[in-house]
Amino acid sequence: MVTDANAFSDDVRQIDGGTNPTRFARGWHCLGLAKTFHDGRPHQIDAFGTSLVVFESADGTLNTLDAYCRHMGGNLAQGTIKGDGIACPFHDWRWGGDGKCLNIPYSRRVPRTARTQAWPTLERNGLVFIWNDPRRRPPPESVDIPVLDAYGSSEWTDWSWNSLLVEGTNCRELIDNVVDMAHFFYVHLVKPTFFKNVFEKHVASQFMSATGRPDIELDSNYGQEGLLMESSATYYGPAYMVNGQTLASGGAASEGLLINCHYPVTPNSFVLQWGAIAKKNEGMSDDEASAMATQFADSLGDAFMQDVEIWRNKTRVDNPLLCEEDGPVYQLRRWYEQFYVDEDDIVPEMVNRFEFEVDLHTAQSKWDVEMTANMAAAKQAPAGV
């Protein structure tokens, strides 16, 4: 018996899964804390479908090269830093940070063609970045990484930092969160009260106010009704977000700067990194302030784990079916596309200023009904259930 004669109707929406891009995003990508690389050792980074080596030359400059020696393929990340260069463990060829071979200890001269790929490297705000461009063009000044005045200030802590390899999904899933208002309620368990996006040139911003949900248990206390959150998050390019965030609850407030960044390993995997610095409240000791920064970073990490669980089990959708309150998903993806085409192929709709504020009246009224029902059901539930 046929239970639904319309099950295979032409009106049924089909998912277009598309394909992952065949190139990696053009732009600055954060590799992590700079102090990690200032230790006198070479570091291997698997990124952009290849392997890189990051090392500190004698003058303290961080450099990034392709990891595999152009001579016979030795892995420079297994080599030794010698002066301003890195020596291959196979035949001791010495490579400078600009990609030129500096010396071949057993040879009379260095071949004129002895060059390897050098990656533009930037150290800023206690972090290290490398520039990727499939056409190997240098980074323009207009897409520089902003200086964070808070970093290095006596009023703020140092970074608390974490990272995670996310496999089985493309990093576009992470970018979609910029406009995804509704998932904050269902995945991250806070209720947005204001949500706006602004895109312009290489920058995409999300402005959000939110409250805690009184129907969610938080530790031993029932609900997080008193929680107030103000968030201003901006992507500078395709992979580096700075998120200023203020949390207030019970008459106390804390202010932090959170970093959300990633770099692709393959078209279907990426390294997700996050960290935070916190502003020291009056009378707060350094240890207390550092604990607050760690708490900020941990809360961001907990949120990411909720997202990662979704990403690992969802499918790619190039043609999402949207309602009015879903926000400018397609506009964000057009903005994001600028990093996957040559600069000469960027069109105005990718970079022109675009603003959109989500109308939250319907969502909030329906959420209030849902939360009230949840709390009533919880009160009626037998103890221990």
Side-chain angles (χ1 to χ4, degrees):
M1 177 182 293
V2 177
T3 57
D4 186 352
N6 296 317
F8 298 101
S9 167
D10 290 339
D11 293 335
V12 173
R13 178 81 168 201
Q14 302 298 323
I15 288 179
D16 176 6
T19 57
N20 289 330
T22 57
R23 65 194 294 179
F24 298 102
R26 181 187 66 259
W28 287 109
H29 292 74
C30 180
L31 300 183
L33 296 178
K35 64 183 179 183
T36 303
F37 303 94
H38 284 293
D39 62 354
R41 298 187 298 109
H43 293 259
Q44 181 168 329
I45 299 291
D46 295 324
F48 306 107
T50 187
S51 292
L52 313 175
V53 59
V54 181
F55 69 97
E56 179 185 17
S57 52
D59 64 357
T61 301
L62 293 179
N63 311 276
T64 307
L65 304 175
D66 278 5
Y68 299 114
C69 182
R70 295 309 196 250
H71 173 220
M72 294 287 284
N75 189 342
L76 299 178
Q78 302 299 315
T80 306
I81 299 173
K82 296 183 178 180
D84 286 330
I86 185 167
C88 178
F90 201 177
H91 300 92
D92 206 31
W93 283 39
R94 317 283 176 81
W95 299 92
D98 60 358
K100 294 180 180 179
C101 183
L102 301 174
N103 184 25
I104 304 172
Y106 59 87
S107 176
R108 184 169 49 187
R109 57 179 172 266
V110 175
R112 289 186 299 105
T113 57
R115 291 188 65 94
T116 189
Q117 183 62 54
W119 297 67
T121 306
L122 171 69
E123 186 174 342
R124 182 157 295 168
N125 305 321
L127 307 172
V128 61
F129 302 81
I130 61 170
W131 173 262
N132 177 61
D133 185 339
R135 296 190 65 181
R136 301 304 181 191
R137 292 179 174 180
E141 293 183 3
S142 59
V143 296
D144 202 9
I145 296 295
V147 173
L148 301 179
D149 293 335
Y151 175 75
S153 165
S154 60
E155 297 180 354
W156 289 74
T157 68
D158 200 354
W159 291 112
S160 177
W161 199 260
N162 300 277
S163 66
L164 173 71
L165 174 63
V166 180
E167 298 180 286
T169 190
N170 183 261
C171 47
R172 190 185 71 177
E173 302 292 347
L174 173 60
I175 304 301
D176 277 348
N177 279 4
V178 173
V179 296
D180 192 350
M181 178 279 299
H183 95 290
F184 283 96
F185 183 84
Y186 297 103
V187 178
H188 303 313
L189 307 179
V190 296
K191 185 180 79 169
T193 57
F194 174 82
F195 198 94
K196 181 179 179 178
N197 290 115
V198 179
F199 314 142
E200 187 172 19
K201 298 180 180 178
H202 71 293
V203 175
S205 297
Q206 173 202 93
F207 304 97
M208 181 175 67
S209 301
T211 63
R213 287 180 52 177
D215 61 329
I216 300 299
E217 289 186 307
L218 193 63
D219 296 328
S220 59
N221 300 317
Y222 185 78
Q224 44 177 322
E225 191 170 12
L227 176 65
L228 300 174
M229 180 177 74
E230 295 291 335
S231 172
S232 173
T234 297
Y235 265 100
Y236 296 94
Y240 175 72
M241 173 187 274
V242 179
N243 180 195
Q245 197 171 107
T246 300
L247 300 177
S249 180
S254 53
E255 181 180 353
L257 273 179
L258 288 72
I259 298 297
N260 156 18
C261 58
H262 67 275
Y263 59 85
V265 180
T266 69
N268 209 37
S269 64
F270 59 93
V271 171
L272 174 64
Q273 299 187 92
W274 64 96
I277 57 176
K279 189 172 184 179
K280 301 174 184 178
N281 293 336
E282 187 176 352
M284 182 177 285
S285 69
D286 288 345
D287 288 344
E288 290 171 331
S290 295
M292 186 167 64
T294 299
Q295 185 176 12
F296 264 109
D298 288 348
S299 65
L300 183 60
D302 291 342
F304 276 142
M305 293 308 101
Q306 294 165 332
D307 286 325
V308 168
E309 186 65 19
I310 298 290
W311 300 334
R312 284 174 173 165
N313 292 281
K314 72 181 294 296
T315 191
R316 180 185 174 98
V317 181
D318 275 6
N319 63 333
L321 177 62
L322 305 177
C323 65
E324 294 179 29
E325 288 77 12
D326 278 326
V329 176
Y330 286 101
Q331 289 87 346
L332 174 70
R333 290 185 177 182
R334 279 197 289 273
W335 171 85
Y336 189 51
E337 188 180 356
Q338 69 177 288
F339 307 112
Y340 288 88
V341 300
D342 292 338
E343 287 180 280
D344 298 337
D345 296 326
I346 294 175
V347 294
E349 54 263 34
M350 295 178 182
V351 294
N352 284 349
R353 185 176 179 86
F354 174 85
E355 296 187 29
F356 187 88
E357 181 180 340
V358 178
D359 185 343
L360 293 175
H361 289 90
T362 299
Q364 288 190 37
S365 62
K366 291 189 174 184
W367 286 338
D368 288 343
V369 171
E370 178 181 344
M371 291 185 296
T372 299
N374 289 343
M375 289 187 290
K379 290 178 180 180
Q380 296 174 4
V385 176

